[in-house]
Amino acid sequence: MSKKDEESPRVSASPNPPPLPVAFISSRQESTFAARKSALRKYCCTPTATKNTWDCLFDEGYRADVSINTDNGGVLYAHASILGVNSAVFKSMLSLKQSRPHGRCGHQRSISINGVPPEAVQVFIRFLYSSRYEEEKMKEHGLSLLVLSHAYAVTHLKQECEWQLEQRLTTENVVDIFQLALLCDASRLSLVCHRFMLKNFKPISATEGWKAMKQSHPVLEKQMLKSIIDEDIREKERVRKNNERKMYMQLYEAMEALVHICKDGCRTIGPHDKVLKEDQEPCHYAACKGLESLIRHFAGCKLRVPGGCIHCKRMWQVLELHSRLCANSDVCKVPLCRSFKQKRRKQNKKDEMKWSILVRKIVRSKSISGAPFFSSEST
């Protein structure tokens, strides 16, 4: 081969690069792998026989190397490997015990779990073996199991305890569960309890649990009372805004009904140049009936001047509001629409501001922005 050939670039396809070592796997690949792993774990089913085997291992204590001391002199036997795999806290405790061996031949390590019923400790340790519990035991020792799962960092049991306690909230036990949820950093459970207490404060405040909290945790009681007062204020504000929104919606519907009457006619009332049919379909505007009686009164009232009659004053306001919402007064069929447009130039700034705020809120109540309000109805 000549020197020129050696210097010429290669045109053949380069081989695929080898896979990256584990240390250089990208975060995207890592997340994909984690998603697959979680999916596999989600659809993985452990046979009942396997779980029974784990339960049997715990019950018989075959080759157990850890003794667990409970209240009232009770002793449970377990395996350090099972405890360590399920709980980082147990793993740390047992590693410390292993570095300082004691007991017979230095093989048997001992730990103590006090402050909860011995039966709750048994249910807790059994769960570490087979991830199972009896429903009745959960009902009886749910609070103790929440404490144990938090203290020994057994996340899957803690989540299960939170869910079970959420389903069993009553006015009698919610205060105790709420306080325990705060101590165990169970944020979802404490939030659910808090909402439950806000909704049922009156019966809850008469319970023994509330009275006990008032004596032992007065600061927490004050915080709860403050949150109840704040929630009451927020509820009143929500009711006020809802009522206000309903009022603006009613005004919007009244404006639509007014355009409908003046343009198409409704039942027995309509424009003078339009023949009304006797067999008309029922009107779908709820405000038409009230507007019809108001228009009839306005047409025949002798005190029609503004301020002379309450009903006529209301009609004047309806007509002026329409003129401020109308897109094109030149072709609008609603009476006095153009006159009110011209009258606006002579109004003082205070009145003009009040009308502008009202119009803005009505428009906002229907989430309409940009084009004027009755652009399609007025033409």
Side-chain angles (χ1 to χ4, degrees), residues 73-164:
V75 180
L76 298 173
Y77 295 98
H79 301 79
S81 56
I82 303 295
L83 301 182
V85 166
N86 285 279
S87 167
V89 178
F90 274 132
K91 187 175 183 180
S92 177
M93 291 172 63
L94 294 169
S95 298
L96 199 62
K97 295 280 184 183
Q98 191 174 17
S99 64
R100 294 179 298 176
H102 62 281
R104 188 177 61 186
C105 300
H107 293 296
Q108 189 76 29
R109 284 165 282 182
S110 176
I111 57 177
S112 297
I113 301 179
N114 304 113
V116 293
E119 192 176 20
V121 179
Q122 185 180 17
V123 175
F124 172 63
I125 301 299
R126 180 186 295 278
F127 185 87
L128 300 182
Y129 277 77
S130 61
S131 297
R132 291 199 298 187
Y133 59 86
E134 296 176 18
E135 194 71 22
E136 292 301 320
K137 301 297 182 183
M138 175 63 76
K139 289 180 181 179
E140 186 178 355
H141 302 293
L143 293 176
S144 298
L145 290 172
L146 177 62
V147 173
L148 290 169
S149 61
H150 173 70
Y152 292 97
V154 184
T155 308
H156 50 300
L157 176 58
K158 184 178 178 181
Q159 291 174 348
E160 184 65 23
C161 291
E162 287 185 51
W163 187 84
Q164 291 288 343

XYZ file of all heavy atoms in Angstrom, residues 73-164:
727
model
N -41.670 -8.522 80.242
C -40.753 -9.662 80.201
C -40.882 -10.558 79.004
O -40.335 -11.662 78.988
N -41.579 -10.143 77.961
C -41.739 -10.969 76.767
C -40.468 -10.993 75.925
O -39.682 -10.038 75.924
N -40.261 -12.108 75.223
C -39.083 -12.267 74.361
C -39.524 -12.836 73.019
O -40.278 -13.810 72.966
C -38.022 -13.186 75.000
C -36.814 -13.333 74.069
C -37.585 -12.665 76.349
N -39.043 -12.221 71.936
C -39.272 -12.724 70.585
C -37.920 -13.039 69.968
O -36.922 -12.389 70.285
C -39.999 -11.674 69.735
C -41.393 -11.238 70.183
C -41.876 -10.075 69.316
C -42.380 -12.396 70.083
N -37.907 -14.034 69.084
C -36.664 -14.421 68.430
C -36.779 -14.124 66.933
O -37.807 -14.370 66.298
C -36.366 -15.896 68.665
C -36.107 -16.191 70.126
C -37.125 -16.697 70.935
C -34.859 -15.927 70.686
C -36.893 -16.948 72.280
C -34.622 -16.177 72.031
C -35.647 -16.673 72.829
O -35.420 -16.905 74.163
N -35.695 -13.575 66.391
C -35.707 -13.182 64.981
C -34.328 -13.380 64.383
O -33.383 -13.806 65.069
C -36.151 -11.723 64.853
N -34.207 -13.077 63.090
C -32.962 -13.265 62.359
C -32.415 -11.893 61.976
O -33.122 -11.064 61.389
C -33.193 -14.104 61.106
C -33.754 -15.461 61.413
N -35.093 -15.668 61.700
C -33.138 -16.685 61.488
C -35.290 -16.957 61.926
N -34.130 -17.595 61.809
N -31.170 -11.665 62.282
C -30.543 -10.362 62.038
C -30.591 -9.983 60.568
O -30.787 -8.812 60.215
C -29.096 -10.385 62.531
N -30.412 -10.966 59.683
C -30.420 -10.662 58.246
C -31.782 -10.143 57.800
O -31.870 -9.205 56.994
C -30.038 -11.911 57.447
O -30.909 -12.991 57.773
N -32.881 -10.727 58.308
C -34.229 -10.285 57.943
C -34.483 -8.878 58.471
O -34.982 -7.995 57.750
C -35.292 -11.252 58.507
C -35.046 -12.683 58.012
C -36.692 -10.784 58.142
C -35.210 -12.856 56.529
N -34.116 -8.644 59.732
C -34.328 -7.326 60.328
C -33.500 -6.262 59.610
O -33.985 -5.164 59.312
C -33.960 -7.352 61.817
C -34.718 -8.338 62.720
C -34.255 -8.194 64.155
C -36.222 -8.129 62.627
N -32.239 -6.584 59.320
C -31.358 -5.612 58.686
C -31.753 -5.256 57.278
O -31.633 -4.107 56.854
N -32.243 -6.240 56.521
C -32.665 -5.975 55.136
C -33.888 -5.064 55.093
O -34.011 -4.199 54.222
C -32.952 -7.307 54.407
C -33.709 -7.069 53.113
C -31.649 -8.026 54.126
N -34.802 -5.212 56.049
C -36.052 -4.445 56.040
C -35.958 -3.097 56.749
O -36.809 -2.234 56.537
C -37.166 -5.266 56.701
C -37.675 -6.372 55.812
O -38.487 -6.149 54.921
N -37.175 -7.580 56.034
N -34.950 -2.914 57.593
C -34.862 -1.680 58.372
C -33.406 -1.261 58.530
O -32.591 -2.007 59.081
C -35.501 -1.878 59.752
O -35.173 -0.817 60.630
N -33.108 -0.056 58.065
C -31.749 0.475 58.224
C -31.421 0.720 59.692
O -30.262 0.650 60.095
C -31.613 1.773 57.428
N -32.462 1.008 60.484
C -32.261 1.243 61.914
C -31.829 -0.050 62.591
O -30.861 -0.078 63.372
C -33.538 1.800 62.567
C -33.342 1.999 64.063
C -33.936 3.118 61.905
N -32.547 -1.132 62.307
C -32.155 -2.436 62.861
C -30.743 -2.823 62.398
O -29.940 -3.364 63.171
C -33.144 -3.519 62.429
C -34.347 -3.631 63.314
C -35.628 -3.680 62.775
C -34.207 -3.711 64.694
C -36.733 -3.792 63.593
C -35.312 -3.824 65.511
C -36.586 -3.864 64.965
N -30.446 -2.552 61.149
C -29.134 -2.898 60.596
C -28.019 -2.199 61.360
O -26.988 -2.805 61.700
C -29.090 -2.509 59.122
C -27.836 -2.965 58.395
C -27.943 -2.629 56.913
C -26.734 -3.141 56.155
N -26.828 -2.822 54.705
N -28.234 -0.917 61.650
C -27.231 -0.151 62.398
C -27.103 -0.665 63.832
O -25.988 -0.829 64.349
C -27.621 1.328 62.397
O -26.722 2.089 63.148
N -28.258 -0.941 64.467
C -28.236 -1.446 65.840
C -27.518 -2.791 65.933
O -26.676 -3.006 66.813
C -29.671 -1.585 66.371
C -30.385 -0.276 66.611
S -32.120 -0.514 67.009
C -32.020 -1.437 68.534
N -27.821 -3.683 65.015
C -27.239 -5.030 65.054
C -25.758 -5.021 64.686
O -24.981 -5.834 65.189
C -28.020 -5.954 64.124
C -29.468 -6.222 64.560
C -30.246 -6.925 63.457
C -29.505 -7.043 65.842
N -25.367 -4.093 63.818
C -23.942 -3.974 63.491
C -23.161 -3.533 64.711
O -22.044 -3.997 64.972
C -23.748 -2.957 62.357
O -24.404 -3.383 61.197
N -23.767 -2.616 65.488
C -23.128 -2.144 66.708
C -23.022 -3.272 67.732
O -22.015 -3.429 68.419
C -23.935 -0.977 67.283
C -23.234 -0.067 68.286
C -22.043 0.624 67.647
C -24.210 0.963 68.834
N -24.083 -4.083 67.821
C -24.080 -5.222 68.752
C -23.025 -6.254 68.341
O -22.364 -6.866 69.183
C -25.454 -5.894 68.778
C -26.571 -5.007 69.323
C -26.578 -4.971 70.821
C -27.765 -4.168 71.336
N -27.749 -4.072 72.814
N -22.835 -6.419 67.015
C -21.894 -7.417 66.527
C -20.456 -7.017 66.843
O -19.600 -7.855 67.083
C -22.063 -7.597 65.019
C -21.316 -8.798 64.470
C -21.640 -9.028 63.007
O -22.149 -8.139 62.336
N -21.366 -10.222 62.524
N -20.202 -5.719 66.825
C -18.847 -5.256 67.136
C -18.508 -5.433 68.605
O -17.354 -5.461 68.994
C -18.693 -3.783 66.748
O -19.570 -2.985 67.529
N -19.576 -5.546 69.458
C -19.367 -5.805 70.880
C -20.186 -7.026 71.275
O -21.262 -6.917 71.850
C -19.785 -4.599 71.709
C -18.917 -3.378 71.459
C -19.391 -2.204 72.275
N -20.737 -1.821 71.909
C -21.435 -0.849 72.532
N -20.900 -0.234 73.568
N -22.636 -0.551 72.142
N -19.759 -8.238 70.929
C -20.568 -9.443 71.162
C -20.740 -9.717 72.641
O -19.887 -9.430 73.453
C -19.767 -10.559 70.484
C -18.365 -10.049 70.449
C -18.455 -8.567 70.302
N -21.929 -10.216 72.954
C -22.202 -10.626 74.318
C -23.185 -11.779 74.269
O -23.729 -12.098 73.227
C -22.774 -9.468 75.144
C -24.076 -8.967 74.619
N -24.142 -8.126 73.531
C -25.346 -9.218 75.027
C -25.410 -7.849 73.289
N -26.156 -8.501 74.165
N -23.431 -12.374 75.416
C -24.340 -13.520 75.440
C -23.567 -14.804 75.205
O -22.343 -14.847 75.113
N -24.309 -15.885 75.041
C -23.712 -17.209 74.906
C -22.925 -17.311 73.604
O -23.460 -17.080 72.521
C -24.820 -18.257 74.927
C -24.284 -19.670 74.975
C -25.426 -20.650 75.056
N -26.289 -20.527 73.882
C -27.427 -21.203 73.761
N -27.840 -21.994 74.743
N -28.158 -21.068 72.681
N -21.621 -17.588 73.776
C -20.696 -17.790 72.661
C -20.599 -16.553 71.775
O -20.092 -16.617 70.661
C -21.107 -18.991 71.792
S -21.133 -20.531 72.746
N -21.164 -15.435 72.229
C -21.099 -14.197 71.457
C -21.951 -14.202 70.217
O -21.806 -13.339 69.361
N -22.864 -15.194 70.029
C -23.675 -15.275 68.813
C -25.055 -14.637 68.982
O -25.627 -14.158 68.023
C -23.826 -16.746 68.372
C -22.546 -17.354 67.917
N -21.863 -16.912 66.816
C -21.812 -18.385 68.443
C -20.767 -17.637 66.662
N -20.709 -18.531 67.634
N -25.629 -14.701 70.150
C -26.982 -14.208 70.372
C -26.946 -12.714 70.713
O -26.364 -12.309 71.710
C -27.645 -14.967 71.530
C -29.119 -14.685 71.704
C -29.961 -15.388 70.654
O -29.588 -16.444 70.165
N -31.076 -14.808 70.300
N -27.535 -11.912 69.831
C -27.609 -10.478 70.092
C -28.996 -10.145 70.637
O -29.984 -10.795 70.278
C -27.329 -9.693 68.819
C -25.854 -9.659 68.463
C -25.616 -9.196 67.048
N -25.886 -10.245 66.076
C -25.729 -10.125 64.762
N -25.300 -8.982 64.266
N -25.980 -11.137 63.958
N -29.070 -9.099 71.438
C -30.330 -8.766 72.105
C -30.638 -7.280 71.923
O -29.755 -6.427 72.059
C -30.239 -9.104 73.596
O -31.419 -8.697 74.259
N -31.899 -6.985 71.595
C -32.367 -5.598 71.515
C -33.686 -5.501 72.261
O -34.368 -6.518 72.479
C -32.548 -5.138 70.049
C -33.524 -6.060 69.309
C -31.233 -5.051 69.314
C -33.807 -5.619 67.890
N -34.042 -4.301 72.672
C -35.283 -4.081 73.430
C -36.195 -3.121 72.679
O -35.737 -2.103 72.143
C -34.967 -3.508 74.814
O -34.201 -4.419 75.572
N -37.477 -3.450 72.639
C -38.501 -2.567 72.072
C -39.556 -2.379 73.143
O -40.367 -3.279 73.411
C -39.124 -3.167 70.791
C -38.046 -3.409 69.733
C -40.200 -2.244 70.243
C -38.564 -4.026 68.450
N -39.528 -1.230 73.774
C -40.431 -0.954 74.889
C -41.385 0.186 74.548
O -41.197 0.910 73.570
C -39.625 -0.593 76.144
C -38.630 -1.658 76.510
O -37.428 -1.458 76.434
N -39.127 -2.832 76.892
N -42.408 0.323 75.380
C -43.351 1.436 75.229
C -44.566 1.131 74.391
O -45.454 1.974 74.246
N -44.619 -0.064 73.807
C -45.784 -0.485 73.018
C -46.171 -1.886 73.472
O -45.345 -2.620 74.034
C -45.485 -0.475 71.493
C -45.264 0.929 70.983
C -44.266 -1.343 71.184
N -47.415 -2.315 73.234
C -47.827 -3.663 73.645
C -46.965 -4.750 72.989
O -46.602 -4.628 71.810
C -49.282 -3.756 73.168
C -49.746 -2.342 73.058
C -48.549 -1.548 72.660
N -46.637 -5.808 73.726
C -45.832 -6.905 73.150
C -46.460 -7.505 71.896
O -45.746 -7.899 70.965
C -45.779 -7.934 74.288
C -45.981 -7.134 75.539
C -46.905 -6.023 75.166
N -47.792 -7.583 71.861
C -48.457 -8.147 70.682
C -48.227 -7.281 69.452
O -48.092 -7.784 68.331
C -49.957 -8.303 70.950
C -50.662 -9.134 69.891
C -52.131 -9.368 70.211
O -52.696 -8.598 71.034
O -52.704 -10.316 69.648
N -48.169 -5.945 69.669
C -47.897 -5.043 68.544
C -46.490 -5.264 68.002
O -46.269 -5.230 66.782
C -48.070 -3.594 68.991
N -45.532 -5.525 68.901
C -44.164 -5.815 68.472
C -44.133 -7.107 67.653
O -43.437 -7.206 66.634
C -43.221 -5.928 69.694
C -41.808 -6.244 69.239
C -43.246 -4.640 70.507
N -44.914 -8.097 68.098
C -44.960 -9.371 67.364
C -45.530 -9.171 65.960
O -44.996 -9.715 64.987
C -45.811 -10.378 68.142
C -45.820 -11.772 67.520
C -46.675 -12.747 68.306
O -47.502 -12.343 69.111
N -46.464 -14.034 68.082
N -46.607 -8.388 65.846
C -47.190 -8.106 64.530
C -46.186 -7.359 63.650
O -46.058 -7.627 62.455
C -48.490 -7.283 64.694
C -49.048 -6.878 63.331
C -49.537 -8.070 65.474
N -45.461 -6.427 64.257
C -44.465 -5.635 63.530
C -43.339 -6.514 62.983
O -42.997 -6.436 61.794
C -43.910 -4.568 64.481
C -42.748 -3.794 63.930
C -42.887 -3.011 62.802
C -41.503 -3.855 64.546
C -41.809 -2.294 62.295
C -40.427 -3.146 64.046
C -40.581 -2.369 62.916
N -42.777 -7.371 63.834
C -41.671 -8.236 63.384
C -42.154 -9.250 62.354
O -41.467 -9.538 61.374
C -41.030 -8.955 64.590
C -40.490 -7.930 65.608
C -39.911 -9.876 64.131
C -39.426 -7.016 65.063
N -43.368 -9.789 62.551
C -43.914 -10.735 61.572
C -44.037 -10.067 60.199
O -43.768 -10.688 59.165
C -45.280 -11.239 62.043
C -45.919 -12.238 61.069
C -47.328 -12.598 61.512
N -47.293 -13.300 62.784
C -47.049 -14.608 62.897
N -46.807 -15.331 61.820
N -47.053 -15.190 64.077
N -44.436 -8.791 60.188
C -44.583 -8.074 58.920
C -43.242 -7.973 58.188
O -43.197 -8.012 56.957
C -45.149 -6.675 59.173
C -45.457 -5.909 57.916
C -46.683 -6.038 57.285
C -44.503 -5.064 57.350
C -46.962 -5.336 56.117
C -44.776 -4.361 56.182
C -46.009 -4.506 55.569
N -42.152 -7.856 58.937
C -40.831 -7.783 58.309
C -40.482 -9.079 57.588
O -39.691 -9.073 56.640
C -39.764 -7.470 59.359
C -39.912 -6.146 60.131
C -38.757 -5.959 61.083
C -40.017 -4.968 59.179
N -41.068 -10.183 58.022
C -40.792 -11.484 57.395
C -41.648 -11.701 56.145
O -41.133 -12.079 55.100
C -41.052 -12.611 58.403
C -39.901 -12.866 59.343
C -39.652 -12.017 60.409
C -39.055 -13.953 59.168
C -38.591 -12.236 61.275
C -37.988 -14.192 60.035
C -37.760 -13.324 61.083
O -36.710 -13.546 61.931
N -42.952 -11.512 56.266
C -43.856 -11.909 55.172
C -44.680 -10.776 54.591
O -45.472 -11.003 53.679
C -44.809 -13.001 55.679
O -45.595 -12.501 56.753
N -44.502 -9.541 55.107
C -45.293 -8.376 54.642
C -46.785 -8.631 54.779
O -47.581 -8.191 53.952
C -44.949 -8.030 53.188
O -43.604 -7.640 53.085
N -47.160 -9.355 55.831
C -48.580 -9.660 56.072
C -48.964 -9.277 57.494
O -48.122 -9.222 58.388
C -48.863 -11.139 55.845
C -48.763 -11.568 54.389
C -49.469 -12.881 54.141
N -48.888 -13.992 54.892
C -49.262 -15.267 54.723
N -50.201 -15.567 53.843
N -48.700 -16.236 55.430
N -50.250 -9.023 57.667
C -50.788 -8.765 59.007
C -52.253 -9.194 59.013
O -52.894 -9.285 57.958
C -50.670 -7.285 59.379
C -51.397 -6.351 58.433
C -52.754 -6.062 58.591
C -50.719 -5.747 57.376
C -53.418 -5.229 57.725
C -51.378 -4.910 56.495
C -52.734 -4.649 56.677
O -53.380 -3.818 55.808
N -52.768 -9.451 60.194
C -54.188 -9.775 60.332
C -54.982 -8.483 60.494
O -54.555 -7.565 61.179
C -54.395 -10.677 61.557
C -53.722 -12.031 61.440
C -53.867 -12.858 62.708
O -54.770 -12.517 63.513
O -53.085 -13.804 62.906
N -56.129 -8.450 59.855
C -56.960 -7.237 59.862
C -57.323 -6.811 61.279
O -57.273 -5.618 61.622
C -58.232 -7.484 59.037
C -59.006 -6.222 58.688
C -58.297 -5.371 57.654
O -57.448 -5.901 56.911
O -58.595 -4.171 57.608
N -57.673 -7.760 62.096
C -58.055 -7.436 63.472
C -56.878 -6.865 64.256
O -57.057 -5.974 65.091
C -58.595 -8.704 64.176
C -59.926 -9.202 63.616
C -61.024 -8.139 63.718
O -61.078 -7.449 64.753
O -61.801 -8.007 62.762
N -55.682 -7.397 64.002
C -54.497 -6.895 64.692
C -54.189 -5.454 64.275
O -53.758 -4.635 65.088
C -53.289 -7.786 64.402
C -53.452 -9.240 64.824
C -53.637 -9.375 66.325
C -53.750 -10.842 66.730
N -54.008 -11.004 68.169
N -54.406 -5.159 62.997
C -54.183 -3.787 62.525
C -55.162 -2.824 63.178
O -54.798 -1.711 63.574
C -54.294 -3.728 60.998
C -54.185 -2.329 60.418
S -52.593 -1.516 60.722
C -51.545 -2.342 59.527
N -56.422 -3.251 63.310
C -57.416 -2.407 63.975
C -57.047 -2.155 65.430
O -57.226 -1.053 65.956
C -58.801 -3.066 63.895
C -59.425 -3.065 62.512
C -60.783 -3.728 62.542
C -61.419 -3.761 61.153
N -62.743 -4.438 61.167
N -56.530 -3.208 66.080
C -56.226 -3.100 67.505
C -54.940 -2.328 67.773
O -54.862 -1.549 68.730
C -56.114 -4.512 68.096
C -55.932 -4.535 69.600
C -55.866 -5.953 70.149
O -56.067 -6.909 69.366
O -55.597 -6.094 71.359
N -53.925 -2.525 66.916
C -52.601 -1.947 67.189
C -52.145 -0.994 66.089
O -50.938 -0.793 65.909
C -51.574 -3.072 67.339
C -51.900 -4.047 68.423
N -51.889 -3.708 69.763
C -52.247 -5.369 68.376
C -52.212 -4.767 70.490
N -52.439 -5.776 69.680
N -53.075 -0.392 65.376
C -52.702 0.502 64.268
C -51.798 1.646 64.694
O -50.795 1.959 64.033
N -52.118 2.286 65.829
C -51.311 3.411 66.306
C -49.910 2.962 66.707
O -48.910 3.617 66.384
C -52.007 4.090 67.486
C -53.334 4.804 67.175
C -53.967 5.337 68.449
C -53.104 5.938 66.194
N -49.833 1.829 67.396
C -48.517 1.311 67.807
C -47.681 0.913 66.598
O -46.459 1.155 66.560
C -48.697 0.093 68.730
O -49.390 0.451 69.909
N -48.311 0.326 65.595
C -47.588 -0.072 64.390
C -47.085 1.141 63.618
O -46.003 1.100 63.010
C -48.481 -0.939 63.502
C -48.798 -2.333 64.043
C -49.850 -3.023 63.192
C -47.528 -3.185 64.115
N -47.871 2.234 63.643
C -47.406 3.468 63.000
C -46.155 3.991 63.700
O -45.184 4.396 63.043
C -48.516 4.523 63.034
C -48.152 5.896 62.458
C -47.809 5.796 60.981
C -49.293 6.894 62.670
N -46.166 3.966 65.015
C -45.001 4.414 65.787
C -43.784 3.539 65.487
O -42.674 4.048 65.241
C -45.312 4.397 67.302
C -44.056 4.685 68.116
C -46.392 5.420 67.638
N -43.964 2.224 65.503
C -42.849 1.304 65.254
C -42.297 1.443 63.834
O -41.077 1.464 63.629
C -43.307 -0.139 65.502
C -43.586 -0.521 66.967
C -44.279 -1.871 67.040
C -42.288 -0.548 67.761
N -43.199 1.545 62.856
C -42.738 1.658 61.466
C -41.996 2.977 61.236
O -41.063 3.041 60.430
C -43.935 1.556 60.510
O -44.871 2.603 60.753
N -42.395 4.030 61.966
C -41.676 5.299 61.852
C -40.333 5.225 62.573
O -39.309 5.664 62.033
C -42.529 6.428 62.441
C -41.816 7.742 62.527
N -41.487 8.480 61.412
C -41.345 8.440 63.609
C -40.848 9.584 61.790
N -40.747 9.578 63.113
N -40.335 4.673 63.781
C -39.102 4.617 64.579
C -38.031 3.760 63.914
O -36.839 4.082 63.993
C -39.421 4.077 65.973
N -38.455 2.674 63.227
C -37.488 1.760 62.625
C -37.428 1.888 61.098
O -36.873 1.020 60.423
C -37.798 0.319 63.043
C -37.556 0.097 64.522
C -38.607 0.167 65.430
C -36.276 -0.134 65.011
C -38.388 -0.010 66.795
C -36.043 -0.304 66.366
C -37.106 -0.237 67.250
O -36.877 -0.394 68.591
N -38.028 2.980 60.577
C -37.914 3.317 59.147
C -38.349 2.184 58.234
O -37.636 1.795 57.302
C -36.482 3.745 58.830
N -39.535 1.624 58.509
C -40.122 0.599 57.630
C -41.212 1.290 56.820
O -42.377 1.353 57.213
C -40.692 -0.584 58.442
C -41.206 -1.676 57.511
C -39.630 -1.148 59.379
N -40.825 1.832 55.675
C -41.692 2.739 54.914
C -42.973 2.078 54.442
O -44.059 2.669 54.541
C -40.918 3.296 53.699
O -39.677 3.843 54.147
C -41.724 4.384 53.017
N -42.883 0.855 53.890
C -44.069 0.216 53.325
C -45.116 -0.079 54.400
O -46.316 0.024 54.155
C -43.710 -1.045 52.535
C -42.825 -2.013 53.245
N -41.572 -1.696 53.690
C -43.017 -3.319 53.595
C -41.028 -2.745 54.273
N -41.883 -3.743 54.238
N -44.688 -0.415 55.609
C -45.644 -0.635 56.697
C -46.225 0.700 57.166
O -47.418 0.790 57.476
C -44.971 -1.355 57.865
C -45.845 -1.568 59.107
C -47.103 -2.357 58.773
C -45.065 -2.268 60.215
N -45.404 1.729 57.204
C -45.881 3.050 57.628
C -46.977 3.555 56.686
O -48.008 4.079 57.122
C -44.715 4.039 57.660
C -45.093 5.423 58.185
C -43.884 6.342 58.245
C -44.272 7.721 58.727
N -43.113 8.644 58.783
N -46.766 3.396 55.396
C -47.782 3.821 54.420
C -49.079 3.042 54.604
O -50.177 3.600 54.513
C -47.243 3.639 53.004
C -46.120 4.599 52.657
C -45.499 4.299 51.304
O -45.747 3.235 50.712
N -44.697 5.221 50.791
N -48.943 1.742 54.860
C -50.133 0.911 55.071
C -50.875 1.337 56.335
O -52.110 1.415 56.345
C -49.719 -0.559 55.165
C -50.867 -1.543 55.295
C -51.754 -1.579 54.067
O -51.282 -1.207 52.972
O -52.929 -1.967 54.206
N -50.132 1.641 57.400
C -50.757 2.098 58.652
C -51.489 3.424 58.445
O -52.604 3.617 58.948
C -49.707 2.257 59.749
S -49.001 0.703 60.327
N -50.857 4.338 57.708
C -51.497 5.629 57.435
C -52.821 5.418 56.700
O -53.844 6.020 57.048
C -50.564 6.509 56.599
C -49.379 7.065 57.356
C -48.571 8.020 56.504
O -49.161 8.935 55.925
O -47.341 7.848 56.415
N -52.793 4.571 55.674
C -54.008 4.345 54.889
C -55.099 3.705 55.745
O -56.266 4.107 55.669
C -53.685 3.451 53.686
C -54.842 3.321 52.746
C -55.201 4.166 51.749
C -55.829 2.283 52.758
N -56.338 3.725 51.119
C -56.743 2.562 51.715
C -56.022 1.135 53.528
C -57.836 1.749 51.442
C -57.110 0.328 53.241
C -58.001 0.627 52.214
N -54.733 2.724 56.545
C -55.709 2.045 57.398
C -56.318 3.007 58.428
O -57.520 2.978 58.683
C -55.047 0.861 58.123
C -54.651 -0.301 57.230
C -55.853 -1.080 56.721
O -56.959 -0.968 57.248
N -55.642 -1.883 55.681
